Amino acid sequence: MGKKKHVSTPGYGKLLDAWVAPDNVGEPIGCIATSFTFSPVFFEEECLARFLQLETDPTEDGPVYLVEREEKLAQVCCAAALVDQHHCRGGRSLRWDMLSARMPGLQHAKVSLLVWSKLVRIIITSANLTADGYRRNVEVFGVLDFGEGCETPLACLNETVDFLRRAAAYSSTSPEVQPPALTRWNSLLDRVTTDCSGWGSTDERLRSNGVSVRTVFSGPGYPTVFDSLKSLWPNASPANAAFVVSPFFNSPEVDNKPVRELWSMLRQRGEASVDYYVSGEEIPNDDSVYLNAPESLLTATPKGRASVSTNFHCLTLPDGRSLHAKGIRLEDDRWSIYQIGSSNFTSAGFGLSEKSNMEANLLYIVDTHKDKNARKQLMASFPPGILVDPDSVKWKWLSGDGQDEVGDELTLPLSFGDATYHCDEHQHSTVTFSFNDELPDGWEVTTDGDERHFFGAADWSDLGGPRTCALKWTSERPPSGFRVHWNGSGGAAWWPVNVTSGSVLPPPEELKNLPLDVLINILSSARPLHRVLQNYLRRQRKEVDGTDTPLVIDPHKRVDTSQFILQRTRRVSWVLNALRQRIERPAVTLEFLRWRLRGPVGAMALANALVREAKSTEEHVFLISELALELSRAKPEISAGCISPQLQKAEIQSVICDLQTLLPENGFDKPLNLKQYVDSVFSAVLS
């Protein structure tokens, strides 16, 4: 049976496809995203997996997926999600950061910034980072790409970077100290600003085009959406028609400011119209239609003008899909401007309330005199609807049906600052809490899952009420968050945890203390780490029971190391050379270089395996010396967008210093010629 041919519909696409790297864009550098509601599992397994180009599947490949995920995330300088405080919770890998936006209004923007070494992509959408948002709802999104020689307006990139910086500032309640997760977020934005300063087009170059695009942000410190639309409307005369699609509106009990503002933007004389595209349903055995909107959309129509009209269209949505797209289009005979993004047609969404939301939108500006087809192309993304008679409408205002509501989750009081996990070189793990003024009475921090007491008001008082507390963490698995209770809370708030750096995280169990044979195969192979490891696991499984199912490595029982090094001296020497070439290659981030040097399949992992499996002191010291000598010969390559060779050399030298500590503590005297050789090697490489 042949495959079903895919038929694309103009104006429609798959949002997850926007997370996939185009061809020839280089290595992934980092990605940051914002959302209102949020699914950590969806973000990690669907969005990040596509951005990092993971080949494995979490449900089918088990430990091999974990290995590939750890390796790919170790290569990027930042992977993070900024989520509204009402929905910022859930277990996750601490390889990526989760920041809680703790602001007076809502963090309602849905922006993703994907950075590869040769391309930067902005995705602005109405969709939250959830399975519903990306797979089931009717949503809208726009994509802007920036690279050498591109025609995308550079102003859009700069304005988006500034917005992401402002939004993330709400994740920290301490202006004096910037937490590590926020530092990583801002460092990626700094890198984008520096590396992309010559990319994109200026406004002057874009004026001759029939279609241009601008960003429209709203929230604290920004103008209202209507003020932005007024300033960006390209004609001296106002528009004569407006088209609005939105799932949510102001409640019937409050003043409908967005409707009044919209009519004020249109012509005050002559013909003018507003068309609303809303979800609804027919009433059985009745000619009426329920529209999910307040009646104030109709009653706000200007009085005393026979040439104005308000029209309603009941959207024809696919079965099982809910409307979540938001858009507004203004037109006259020549111009069209079409805004898409996160702003519902509400006072909070358009920046008209005291506690306005943080919102992000794209505005497309079309000159039909220069591009006659562009208006049709934009209209194709507008959901289709059936015109209904206002006299047959029954109004059914939606309060949010779970899509854009804050829910019943408790928010963490601002007196609780940041929570950070750290593990030092001696494998001593700590969690550091920061506190601000006016902590609630009887507060207690408990572990996730078992609700075990970890820290509380009495413990804090015994320590003298410090601003920060570094507490011992005894579990091998780092915490992704804690639950916080206090007197009268009636529940628990979530306190997310981030790490000081990715290098403090323990490797997956499958990568701990890998046998020397496996390390040699990995370092000498041109195939990806997870594929080499997958084959090894299958071989081990076959030896046990003849099946072909991956098995977790047991490094102490699966390899016979008798006479191992003596038999394979030539192979070890060859892999040292391969390791040096691997380390010489450009590294796009410092984290990636440190993964090569100190990660579970790096230089220090190889050194520890050599020490662990050596059959004599002579083999031990000789091979460690050879490894140090090989690393000292490294000549890092120069490549644009990567860390400098000088920094690479400094990190390599630090590893060489650590290799010396692996020599026998009490030294060795025999054979004399070996001792002289080892002393001469370290004297040379450390000078």
Side-chain angles (χ1 to χ4, degrees):
M1 187 176 183
K3 292 183 178 179
K4 184 178 179 180
K5 185 177 180 181
H6 175 70
V7 179
S8 61
T9 303
Y12 286 76
K14 294 181 178 180
L15 184 48
L16 276 172
D17 288 347
W19 284 78
V20 178
D23 295 335
N24 304 316
V25 297
E27 297 295 325
I29 303 295
C31 70
I32 54 181
T34 69
S35 187
F36 176 58
T37 61
F38 184 66
S39 168
V41 173
F42 180 82
F43 178 67
E44 184 175 298
E45 296 184 0
E46 300 291 348
C47 301
L48 285 181
R50 284 168 170 77
F51 171 71
L52 298 170
Q53 303 179 59
L54 298 190
E55 300 176 0
T56 53
D57 182 88
T59 59
E60 297 180 1
D61 298 306
V64 180
Y65 163 78
L66 297 178
V67 169
E68 185 185 17
R69 183 195 68 187
E70 291 293 298
E71 181 191 24
K72 295 291 181 64
L73 281 174
Q75 299 177 22
V76 300
C77 61
C78 178
L82 175 71
V83 183
D84 182 78
Q85 60 182 328
H86 299 89
H87 299 281
C88 187
R89 61 175 58 238
R92 73 188 202 282
S93 165
L94 288 186
R95 283 284 175 190
W96 57 273
D97 299 320
M98 185 159 67
L99 288 72
S100 177
R102 305 162 74 178
M103 57 183 61
L106 301 178
Q107 194 309 107
H108 197 254
K110 291 91 174 175
V111 185
S112 298
L113 182 74
L114 313 183
V115 184
W116 295 275
S117 56
K118 298 179 182 178
L119 181 82
V120 173
R121 170 169 288 176
I122 295 172
I123 307 170
I124 294 182
T125 176
S126 62
N128 290 300
L129 286 165
T130 63
D132 281 346
Y134 271 62
R135 287 205 164 108
R136 285 183 279 276
N137 296 339
V138 174
E139 307 277 5
V140 64
F141 70 97
V143 176
L144 302 178
D145 283 348
F146 298 85
E148 291 285 354
C150 75
E151 291 296 318
T152 319
L154 183 60
C156 290
L157 179 61
N158 293 334
E159 290 164 5
T160 301
V161 166
D162 180 68
F163 176 81
L164 290 170
R165 202 184 299 275
R166 288 197 201 187
Y170 286 100
S171 68
S172 176
T173 60
S174 175
E176 297 84 11
V177 179
Q178 183 169 273
L182 183 56
T183 298
R184 286 188 287 271
W185 178 287
N186 286 328
S187 294
L188 179 61
L189 296 178
D190 291 340
R191 179 167 184 161
V192 168
T193 300
T194 301
D195 293 350
C196 307
S197 59
W199 295 357
S201 297
T202 62
D203 290 341
E204 290 75 15
R205 288 170 57 189
L206 293 168
R207 285 173 184 164
S208 60
N209 295 340
V211 181
S212 59
V213 62
R214 294 296 301 267
T215 54
V216 176
F217 299 109
S218 66
Y222 283 95
T224 71
V225 170
F226 285 112
D227 286 341
S228 296
L229 294 179
K230 289 174 185 176
S231 67
L232 293 171
W233 173 251
N235 199 352
S237 301
N240 59 17
F243 306 83
V244 176
V245 59
S246 177
F248 309 116
F249 302 89
N250 279 8
S251 69
E253 295 79 19
V254 302
D255 180 24
N256 206 322
K257 292 181 181 179
V259 179
R260 289 194 289 103
E261 287 287 337
L262 180 58
W263 278 109
S264 72
M265 285 191 64
L266 301 180
R267 289 180 184 172
Q268 301 303 300
R269 294 183 179 180
E271 294 185 353
S273 63
V274 175
D275 287 58
Y276 294 99
Y277 289 71
V278 298
S279 60
E281 57 185 306
E282 294 183 354
I283 303 175
N285 304 318
D286 195 331
D287 293 333
S288 300
V289 176
Y290 273 127
L291 290 184
N292 297 320
E295 190 176 5
S296 56
L297 299 181
L298 177 63
T299 57
T301 306
K303 303 295 189 284
R305 291 177 60 187
S307 57
V308 300
S309 62
T310 298
N311 307 306
F312 294 91
H313 304 256
C314 185
L315 295 175
T316 54
L317 301 174
D319 290 342
R321 297 184 181 271
S322 300
L323 175 67
H324 198 250
K326 307 99 166 45
I328 180 170
R329 200 170 79 240
L330 301 175
E331 292 184 352
D332 65 10
D333 293 338
R334 175 179 178 179
W335 295 95
S336 287
I337 64 173
Y338 180 26
Q339 175 184 287
I340 63 170
S342 66
S343 289
N344 287 307
F345 198 70
T346 62
S347 295
F350 271 62
L352 300 170
S353 64
E354 292 183 3
K355 294 183 179 180
S356 294
N357 302 337
M358 294 292 283
E359 306 278 5
N361 302 280
L362 282 178
L363 182 71
Y364 296 91
I365 304 172
V366 175
D367 183 352
T368 58
H369 287 188
K370 296 179 179 178
D371 192 331
K372 296 181 180 180
N373 294 322
R375 178 180 287 183
K376 292 181 179 180
Q377 292 172 347
L378 289 181
M379 290 175 64
S381 70
F382 219 72
I386 299 174
L387 184 66
V388 298
D389 183 354
D391 293 333
S392 67
V393 169
K394 293 185 178 180
W395 308 98
K396 185 181 177 182
W397 174 72
L398 293 180
S399 62
D401 76 349
Q403 294 285 349
D404 282 15
E405 291 183 322
V406 297
D408 298 326
E409 300 288 351
L410 294 180
T411 58
L412 189 67
L414 294 177
S415 48
F416 297 92
D418 305 297
T420 307
Y421 172 84
H422 180 72
C423 184
D424 63 20
E425 63 275 14
H426 304 295
Q427 303 306 305
H428 297 153
S429 300
T430 57
V431 175
T432 299
F433 293 137
S434 67
F435 300 98
N436 302 308
D437 296 328
E438 299 181 4
L439 286 162
D441 294 333
W443 62 269
E444 180 187 25
V445 178
T446 61
T447 54
D448 186 32
D450 57 5
E451 291 285 333
R452 178 174 50 85
H453 173 86
F454 183 68
F455 195 60
D459 309 306
W460 182 69
S461 296
D462 291 343
L463 295 175
R467 288 283 185 176
T468 60
C469 297
L471 308 170
K472 184 178 180 181
W473 180 255
T474 56
S475 175
E476 186 175 359
R477 181 179 179 181
S480 57
F482 293 93
R483 297 186 182 277
V484 182
H485 312 254
W486 59 93
N487 291 346
S489 63
W494 182 256
W495 198 352
V497 174
N498 292 301
V499 297
T500 53
S501 72
S503 60
V504 308
L505 291 171
E509 193 66 32
E510 295 77 19
L511 290 181
K512 288 183 179 179
N513 300 320
L514 287 174
L516 184 56
D517 188 30
V518 178
L519 284 170
I520 288 176
N521 287 336
I522 290 172
L523 294 172
S524 60
S525 175
R527 292 178 298 161
L529 160 64
H530 62 279
R531 289 303 177 201
V532 179
L533 186 62
Q534 185 178 50
N535 291 340
Y536 173 79
L537 294 172
R538 285 175 176 169
R539 289 198 306 271
Q540 297 304 308
R541 183 63 176 174
K542 286 181 179 179
E543 292 178 7
V544 174
D545 58 14
T547 66
D548 193 32
T549 305
L551 177 71
V552 175
I553 294 172
D554 183 346
H556 303 293
K557 297 180 181 179
R558 300 287 182 239
V559 179
D560 178 12
T561 61
S562 61
Q563 301 299 314
F564 181 77
I565 295 180
L566 291 177
Q567 293 175 2
R568 305 191 186 183
T569 301
R570 183 174 300 175
R571 194 175 178 204
V572 170
S573 299
W574 188 77
V575 83
L576 294 182
N577 181 267
L579 174 65
R580 174 181 55 78
Q581 294 178 2
R582 177 187 177 101
I583 292 172
E584 286 177 334
R585 293 200 297 267
V588 294
T589 67
L590 185 58
E591 285 284 340
F592 188 22
L593 175 62
R594 288 174 176 169
W595 172 270
R596 289 176 180 172
L597 292 169
R598 300 182 179 277
V601 292
M604 288 304 298
L606 178 62
N608 289 324
L610 291 171
V611 173
R612 189 170 58 245
E613 300 185 21
K615 307 308 293 184
S616 67
T617 301
E618 289 80 4
E619 292 172 353
H620 166 179
V621 298
F622 174 73
L623 290 174
I624 291 297
S625 301
E626 287 296 286
L627 176 56
L629 186 61
E630 195 68 34
L631 290 177
S632 71
R633 294 169 177 162
K635 297 180 179 179
E637 301 173 16
I638 300 175
S639 182
C642 296
I643 63 175
S644 67
Q646 293 78 11
L647 183 54
Q648 278 187 264
K649 288 290 288 184
E651 291 291 326
I652 293 170
Q653 194 67 18
S654 175
V655 170
I656 292 174
C657 292
D658 290 344
L659 290 178
Q660 189 179 34
T661 66
L662 296 181
L663 298 177
E665 292 184 6
N666 299 323
F668 65 99
D669 298 320
K670 296 179 181 179
L672 181 59
N673 58 344
L674 178 60
K675 183 180 186 308
Q676 291 173 339
Y677 174 75
V678 172
D679 289 343
S680 66
V681 166
F682 278 96
S683 176
V685 299
L686 295 176
S687 60

